[in-house]
Amino acid sequence: MSNQGWEVLAQDTGIEGCCPGLLSAPLDEEQAVVLAKVFKALGDPVRLRLLSMIASRAGGEVCVCDLTPAFDLSQPTISHHLKLLREAGLIASERRGTWVYYRLLPETTDRLAGILTRPGGEPLPATGCAPAGAGT
């Protein structure tokens, strides 16, 4: 997988403040490309577990030395997954001596949640089509 073109959602990608949400207005092409890259980073079970382990850690950060033993993967493979999460703007890292510590970037996950949330909890607009499984 090429790392070229990865954009960080938390930086100047055109997503911040522009998107009313997937459920209230269609995304334009650029917004969809940026969001797809972040969702692609989340689309791998190992990366999703890593993000969850980092986000749920007491104190808000975790050493890579504590992440690696949870997986039946090599340290370079874990580092690669962490790099993809970092490039997607989901986590940040800081080297301290030999070890690297990771922390969640909540502004990115909050922005994703906002994009996926209906404004004010409003119901979805009626489409005129029966929902899947209706009438059975």
Side-chain angles (χ1 to χ4, degrees), residues 19-39:
C19 299
L22 290 172
L23 303 178
S24 59
L27 296 173
D28 67 29
E29 186 176 345
E30 181 182 343
Q31 294 165 340
V33 167
V34 172
L35 279 173
K37 290 176 182 178
V38 176
F39 285 123

Side-chain angles (χ1 to χ4, degrees), residues 109-132:
T109 53
D110 290 349
R111 211 169 287 122
L112 286 173
I115 289 168
L116 295 171
T117 303
R118 291 174 291 155
E122 297 171 7
L124 292 174
T127 62
C129 298

Side-chain angles (χ1 to χ4, degrees), residues 64-82:
V64 69
C65 62
D66 295 326
L67 295 171
T68 306
F71 299 90
D72 189 24
L73 297 169
S74 69
Q75 184 276 326
T77 300
I78 296 296
S79 291
H80 172 73
H81 285 295
L82 290 166

